[in-house]
Amino acid sequence: SQQGEEDPQALSIQEGENATMNCSYKTSINNLQWYRQNSGRGLVHLILIRSNEREKHSGRLRVTLDTSKKSSSLLITASRAADTASYFCATDGWSTGNQFYFGTGTSLTVIP
Amino acid sequence: EAQVTQNPRYLITVTGKKLTVTCSQNMNHEYMSWYRQDPGLGLRQIYYSMNVEVTDKGDVPEGYKVSRKEKRNFPLILESPSPNQTSLYFCASSLSVNSPLHFGNGTRLTVT
Protein backbone atom coordinates (compact mmCIF):
# COMPACT_ATOMS: atom_id res chain seq x y z
CA SER A 1 0.00 0.00 0.00
CA GLN A 2 1.18 3.50 -0.67
CA GLN A 3 -0.89 5.02 2.07
CA GLY A 4 0.80 7.24 4.55
CA GLU A 5 0.44 7.08 8.27
CA GLU A 6 -0.48 9.68 10.79
CA ASP A 7 0.66 9.95 14.34
CA PRO A 8 -0.90 9.98 16.82
CA GLN A 9 -4.05 8.11 15.85
CA ALA A 10 -5.97 10.05 18.50
CA LEU A 11 -5.23 13.22 20.42
CA SER A 12 -7.17 14.86 23.22
CA ILE A 13 -6.28 18.36 24.44
CA GLN A 14 -7.76 21.26 26.38
CA GLU A 15 -9.11 24.30 24.59
CA GLY A 16 -6.37 26.86 24.11
CA GLU A 17 -3.56 24.29 23.85
CA ASN A 18 -1.69 23.55 20.65
CA ALA A 19 -2.23 20.33 18.70
CA THR A 20 0.47 18.71 16.59
CA MET A 21 -0.13 15.90 14.14
CA ASN A 22 2.50 14.11 12.11
CA CYS A 23 2.28 12.43 8.74
CA SER A 24 4.70 10.10 7.02
CA TYR A 25 4.38 9.20 3.37
CA LYS A 26 6.04 6.84 0.95
CA THR A 27 6.29 8.43 -2.47
CA SER A 28 7.89 11.41 -4.14
CA ILE A 29 5.50 14.34 -4.15
CA ASN A 30 4.75 17.52 -5.99
CA ASN A 31 2.79 18.70 -3.00
CA LEU A 32 1.28 17.45 0.22
CA GLN A 33 -2.19 18.44 1.36
CA TRP A 34 -3.96 18.45 4.70
CA TYR A 35 -7.67 17.87 5.07
CA ARG A 36 -10.16 17.99 7.90
CA GLN A 37 -13.19 15.74 8.33
CA ASN A 38 -16.00 16.37 10.73
CA SER A 39 -17.68 13.16 11.84
CA GLY A 40 -19.04 11.27 8.84
CA ARG A 41 -18.85 14.29 6.54
CA GLY A 42 -16.81 15.01 3.45
CA LEU A 43 -13.19 16.06 3.79
CA VAL A 44 -12.39 19.73 3.53
CA HIS A 45 -9.07 20.97 2.19
CA LEU A 46 -7.08 23.00 4.72
CA ILE A 47 -3.66 23.74 3.31
CA LEU A 48 -1.29 22.66 0.55
CA ILE A 49 2.50 22.73 0.83
CA ARG A 50 4.69 22.28 -2.22
CA SER A 51 7.73 20.02 -2.24
CA ASN A 52 10.09 22.99 -2.44
CA GLU A 53 8.56 24.63 0.64
CA ARG A 54 9.56 23.82 4.21
CA GLU A 55 6.88 25.68 6.13
CA LYS A 56 3.54 27.28 5.43
CA HIS A 57 1.04 29.17 7.54
CA SER A 58 -2.68 29.75 7.23
CA GLY A 59 -4.40 31.42 10.15
CA ARG A 60 -3.90 29.16 13.19
CA LEU A 61 -2.45 26.38 11.03
CA ARG A 62 1.23 25.79 10.51
CA VAL A 63 2.46 23.01 8.25
CA THR A 64 6.03 21.83 7.88
CA LEU A 65 7.46 19.48 5.29
CA ASP A 66 10.66 17.45 5.30
CA THR A 67 11.00 15.70 1.95
CA SER A 68 14.23 13.99 2.97
CA LYS A 69 12.34 12.20 5.75
CA LYS A 70 9.09 12.00 3.80
CA SER A 71 7.23 13.56 6.68
CA SER A 72 5.01 16.52 7.43
CA SER A 73 3.43 17.99 10.50
CA LEU A 74 0.32 20.06 11.12
CA LEU A 75 0.21 22.40 14.09
CA ILE A 76 -3.05 23.96 15.21
CA THR A 77 -2.41 26.77 17.65
CA ALA A 78 -4.79 28.00 20.36
CA SER A 79 -7.21 25.17 19.68
CA ARG A 80 -10.96 25.56 19.99
CA ALA A 81 -13.73 23.03 20.61
CA ALA A 82 -14.78 23.57 16.98
CA ASP A 83 -11.42 22.12 15.87
CA THR A 84 -12.60 18.70 17.03
CA ALA A 85 -12.39 16.56 13.88
CA SER A 86 -10.20 14.05 12.08
CA TYR A 87 -7.24 15.35 10.15
CA PHE A 88 -5.69 13.65 7.14
CA CYS A 89 -2.62 14.25 5.05
CA ALA A 90 -2.64 13.35 1.38
CA THR A 91 0.00 13.13 -1.29
CA ASP A 92 -0.94 14.45 -4.69
CA GLY A 93 -1.16 12.28 -7.75
CA TRP A 94 1.77 13.74 -9.64
CA SER A 95 4.16 10.83 -9.06
CA THR A 96 1.77 8.04 -8.11
CA GLY A 97 -0.03 7.25 -11.34
CA ASN A 98 -2.54 10.04 -10.85
CA GLN A 99 -3.80 8.75 -7.53
CA PHE A 100 -4.02 10.72 -4.30
CA TYR A 101 -2.99 8.76 -1.23
CA PHE A 102 -4.38 9.59 2.17
CA GLY A 103 -2.95 8.92 5.58
CA THR A 104 -4.94 7.02 8.16
CA GLY A 105 -5.87 10.17 10.02
CA THR A 106 -5.57 11.71 13.47
CA SER A 107 -8.72 12.10 15.52
CA LEU A 108 -8.47 15.33 17.50
CA THR A 109 -10.73 16.10 20.45
CA VAL A 110 -10.58 19.57 21.95
CA ILE A 111 -12.16 19.71 25.39
CA PRO A 112 -13.87 23.01 26.24
CA GLU B 1 -21.97 27.73 -4.94
CA ALA B 2 -19.04 25.51 -5.94
CA GLN B 3 -19.77 22.00 -4.81
CA VAL B 4 -19.67 18.26 -5.33
CA THR B 5 -23.09 16.70 -4.96
CA GLN B 6 -23.52 13.05 -4.12
CA ASN B 7 -26.77 11.15 -3.88
CA PRO B 8 -28.15 9.41 -2.01
CA ARG B 9 -26.79 10.30 1.41
CA TYR B 10 -27.85 6.97 2.90
CA LEU B 11 -28.60 3.72 1.11
CA ILE B 12 -29.60 0.32 2.46
CA THR B 13 -29.83 -2.49 -0.05
CA VAL B 14 -29.65 -6.25 -0.36
CA THR B 15 -26.94 -8.44 -1.83
CA GLY B 16 -27.02 -8.55 -5.59
CA LYS B 17 -29.34 -5.62 -6.25
CA LYS B 18 -27.64 -3.23 -8.66
CA LEU B 19 -27.29 0.34 -7.49
CA THR B 20 -25.82 3.63 -8.65
CA VAL B 21 -24.46 6.45 -6.55
CA THR B 22 -24.46 9.71 -8.44
CA CYS B 23 -21.80 12.42 -8.28
CA SER B 24 -21.88 15.79 -9.94
CA GLN B 25 -19.56 18.80 -9.73
CA ASN B 26 -20.16 22.35 -10.95
CA MET B 27 -16.55 23.58 -10.97
CA ASN B 28 -15.53 22.38 -14.45
CA HIS B 29 -12.94 20.11 -12.85
CA GLU B 30 -10.99 17.71 -15.03
CA TYR B 31 -10.20 15.16 -12.30
CA MET B 32 -12.84 13.15 -10.46
CA SER B 33 -12.49 10.19 -8.14
CA TRP B 34 -14.28 7.82 -5.81
CA TYR B 35 -13.09 6.70 -2.38
CA ARG B 36 -14.34 4.36 0.25
CA GLN B 37 -13.65 4.99 3.92
CA ASP B 38 -13.56 2.15 6.40
CA PRO B 39 -12.57 2.25 10.09
CA GLY B 40 -8.86 1.73 10.54
CA LEU B 41 -8.20 1.72 6.79
CA GLY B 42 -8.54 5.39 5.96
CA LEU B 43 -9.61 6.48 2.50
CA ARG B 44 -8.90 4.14 -0.38
CA GLN B 45 -9.32 5.12 -4.00
CA ILE B 46 -11.73 3.04 -6.06
CA TYR B 47 -11.64 4.68 -9.49
CA TYR B 48 -10.57 7.99 -10.91
CA SER B 49 -11.02 9.91 -14.12
CA MET B 50 -8.62 12.39 -15.67
CA ASN B 51 -11.18 13.66 -18.17
CA VAL B 52 -14.28 12.75 -20.14
CA GLU B 53 -14.23 9.13 -21.34
CA VAL B 54 -10.96 8.48 -19.42
CA THR B 55 -11.27 6.29 -16.33
CA ASP B 56 -8.71 4.23 -14.42
CA LYS B 57 -8.70 1.81 -11.54
CA GLY B 58 -7.58 2.86 -8.12
CA ASP B 59 -6.41 0.55 -5.37
CA VAL B 60 -9.76 -1.18 -4.68
CA PRO B 61 -11.75 -1.34 -7.95
CA GLU B 62 -13.16 -4.87 -7.62
CA GLY B 63 -16.95 -4.93 -7.64
CA TYR B 64 -17.31 -1.35 -8.90
CA LYS B 65 -17.80 0.37 -12.24
CA VAL B 66 -17.71 4.01 -13.23
CA SER B 67 -18.38 6.09 -16.30
CA ARG B 68 -17.47 9.64 -17.36
CA LYS B 69 -19.70 10.53 -20.27
CA GLU B 70 -19.88 14.20 -19.25
CA LYS B 71 -17.33 16.33 -17.48
CA ARG B 72 -19.56 17.12 -14.53
CA ASN B 73 -20.86 13.61 -13.71
CA PHE B 74 -19.04 10.56 -12.42
CA PRO B 75 -21.46 7.88 -11.19
CA LEU B 76 -20.34 4.85 -9.19
CA ILE B 77 -22.09 1.61 -10.10
CA LEU B 78 -22.27 -1.55 -8.03
CA GLU B 79 -23.57 -4.22 -10.37
CA SER B 80 -23.98 -6.89 -7.68
CA PRO B 81 -23.36 -5.43 -4.23
CA SER B 82 -22.02 -7.64 -1.48
CA PRO B 83 -21.86 -7.07 2.29
CA ASN B 84 -18.12 -6.31 2.12
CA GLN B 85 -19.01 -3.20 0.14
CA THR B 86 -20.78 -1.76 3.16
CA SER B 87 -18.85 1.46 3.66
CA LEU B 88 -18.84 5.25 3.53
CA TYR B 89 -18.24 6.45 -0.01
CA PHE B 90 -16.95 9.82 -1.15
CA CYS B 91 -16.77 11.43 -4.53
CA ALA B 92 -14.19 14.15 -5.05
CA SER B 93 -13.03 16.42 -7.84
CA SER B 94 -10.11 18.72 -8.54
CA LEU B 95 -8.77 20.96 -11.28
CA SER B 96 -5.84 18.63 -11.85
CA VAL B 97 -4.00 15.68 -10.36
CA ASN B 98 -1.96 17.95 -8.11
CA SER B 99 -4.67 20.39 -7.03
CA PRO B 100 -6.72 20.17 -3.84
CA LEU B 101 -9.68 17.83 -3.86
CA HIS B 102 -13.25 18.97 -3.24
CA PHE B 103 -15.33 16.30 -1.58
CA GLY B 104 -19.02 15.46 -1.61
CA ASN B 105 -20.82 14.85 1.67
CA GLY B 106 -20.63 11.10 1.37
CA THR B 107 -22.94 8.15 0.86
CA ARG B 108 -23.29 5.66 3.67
CA LEU B 109 -24.05 2.31 2.03
CA THR B 110 -25.23 -0.77 3.88
CA VAL B 111 -25.52 -4.07 2.01
CA THR B 112 -27.36 -6.83 3.86
Side-chain angles (χ1 to χ4, degrees), chain A residues 9-83:
Chain A
Q9 287 190 340
L11 179 61
S12 183
I13 60 173
Q14 296 289 329
E15 202 164 33
E17 294 181 336
N18 295 342
T20 299
M21 289 156 265
N22 303 297
C23 162
S24 61
Y25 59 92
K26 300 181 181 180
T27 65
S28 302
I29 59 170
N30 183 57
N31 64 62
L32 185 132
Q33 303 165 20
W34 284 89
Y35 292 81
R36 165 196 168 121
Q37 182 183 34
N38 287 86
S39 181
R41 309 292 292 183
L43 282 72
V44 175
H45 177 254
L46 293 176
I47 193 166
L48 179 154
I49 185 166
R50 301 190 190 285
S51 58
N52 61 355
E53 296 175 313
R54 290 298 165 256
E55 187 171 312
K56 196 162 182 180
H57 296 253
S58 176
R60 293 185 295 112
L61 305 180
R62 173 179 166 249
V63 169
T64 61
L65 179 65
D66 186 336
T67 53
S68 67
K69 295 180 179 176
K70 289 189 167 59
S71 67
S72 175
S73 66
L74 171 67
L75 168 68
I76 304 174
T77 60
S79 63
R80 305 166 182 168
D83 294 328

Side-chain angles (χ1 to χ4, degrees), chain B:
Chain B
E1 181 190 350
Q3 59 185 356
V4 177
T5 304
Q6 268 181 255
N7 281 298
R9 185 86 173 86
Y10 298 93
L11 181 57
I12 301 174
T13 190
V14 296
T15 299
K17 186 175 181 182
K18 181 180 179 179
L19 64 91
T20 300
V21 184
T22 63
C23 175
S24 180
Q25 51 93 5
N26 63 0
M27 295 167 280
N28 202 35
H29 283 170
E30 303 279 340
Y31 186 91
M32 295 187 76
S33 56
W34 277 101
Y35 299 85
R36 62 179 287 174
Q37 185 176 28
D38 301 288
L41 297 177
L43 277 88
R44 294 179 292 167
Q45 195 159 19
I46 303 170
Y47 269 95
Y48 64 95
S49 170
M50 299 290 288
N51 211 328
V52 175
E53 301 292 3
V54 180
T55 62
D56 282 290
K57 295 177 181 178
D59 285 343
V60 288
E62 294 78 21
Y64 305 95
K65 283 175 58 177
V66 294
S67 68
R68 188 95 181 270
K69 295 188 172 71
E70 307 161 282
K71 197 170 190 178
R72 61 183 293 126
N73 295 324
F74 191 45
L76 179 69
I77 303 155
L78 285 72
E79 295 268 4
S80 183
S82 62
N84 65 11
Q85 292 179 297
T86 292
S87 187
L88 180 57
Y89 291 87
F90 290 103
C91 178
S93 71
S94 65
L95 271 171
S96 70
V97 75
N98 52 22
S99 300
L101 287 163
H102 296 251
F103 280 80
N105 277 329
T107 296
R108 189 168 291 280
L109 172 65
T110 302
V111 183
T112 60

